Amino acid sequence: MYQIYCDGASRSNPGEASIGVSITKETKEIEFISQKIGIATNNVAEYESLKAALNYCVENNILEASIFLDSLLVVQQVNENYKVKSDNLKELYINCKKLMNQINKLEIQHIRRELNKRADELANIALDS
């Protein structure tokens, strides 16, 4: 099973934003995404990182994955424990749910920030470039 670590970053919230995604299999990074996404809030950046991870799974026919984010809000919303009240997150939420439905076995879990260092590093590399 693939383990995918996601993080979004925003300077000034909203401000210049980016995403970082580390795709691993058997604890070895096999691919990563590190890119700017323009001006966005931190929550939008977190959702964009999840969307990028889900797109990667769908495009590469990955049918089983565990995805980890340090954004409790995003994890709780996509796992349907919290409602999405913010209009700027609703479309991202809907897009993520559509992608999630294309993956057979998927877990999306919250992890502490210190366990998400590689994704954070990738997001910051994009911001600094």
Side-chain angles (χ1 to χ4, degrees), residues 55-74:
N55 270 321
Y56 180 89
C57 289
V58 170
E59 290 168 4
N60 291 281
N61 203 31
I62 294 171
L63 301 177
E64 295 186 4
S66 293
I67 299 180
F68 303 95
L69 295 93
D70 59 29
S71 170
L72 184 60
L73 176 76
V74 172

Side-chain angles (χ1 to χ4, degrees), residues 12 24 26 36 40 43 50 55 80 89 98 103 108-109 112 116 120 123:
S12 300
T24 65
E26 296 165 9
K36 288 183 180 178
N43 287 335
L50 175 59
N55 270 321
E80 300 181 8
L89 299 181
K98 286 179 183 173
I103 302 167
I108 299 179
Q109 300 176 37
R112 295 190 322 268
N116 204 25
D120 178 68

Side-chain angles (χ1 to χ4, degrees), residues 39-106:
I39 303 298
T41 65
N42 193 61
N43 287 335
V44 166
E46 295 281 359
Y47 259 107
E48 289 287 357
S49 72
L50 175 59
K51 189 172 91 173
L54 294 166
N55 270 321
Y56 180 89
C57 289
V58 170
E59 290 168 4
N60 291 281
N61 203 31
I62 294 171
L63 301 177
E64 295 186 4
S66 293
I67 299 180
F68 303 95
L69 295 93
D70 59 29
S71 170
L72 184 60
L73 176 76
V74 172
V75 171
Q76 293 286 31
Q77 286 178 340
V78 297
N79 285 326
E80 300 181 8
N81 297 319
Y82 293 175
K83 288 188 170 142
V84 182
K85 295 178 183 172
S86 175
D87 287 338
N88 65 333
L89 299 181
K90 284 181 182 171
E91 186 177 335
L92 286 163
Y93 168 82
I94 291 166
N95 289 336
C96 286
K97 291 300 281 186
K98 286 179 183 173
L99 291 165
M100 288 168 65
N101 289 333
Q102 297 178 56
I103 302 167
N104 291 351
K105 187 174 179 188
L106 179 66

Side-chain angles (χ1 to χ4, degrees), residues 17-20 34-37 121-129:
S18 65
I19 61 169
S34 177
Q35 66 186 44
K36 288 183 180 178
I37 59 167
E121 175 187 34
L122 290 166
N124 280 298
I125 287 169
L127 273 183
D128 293 336
S129 63

Side-chain angles (χ1 to χ4, degrees), residues 14-38:
E16 193 66 37
S18 65
I19 61 169
V21 180
S22 173
I23 299 101
T24 65
K25 187 162 189 187
E26 296 165 9
T27 70
K28 182 178 172 139
E29 185 175 71
I30 58 168
E31 189 71 61
F32 67 86
I33 301 165
S34 177
Q35 66 186 44
K36 288 183 180 178
I37 59 167

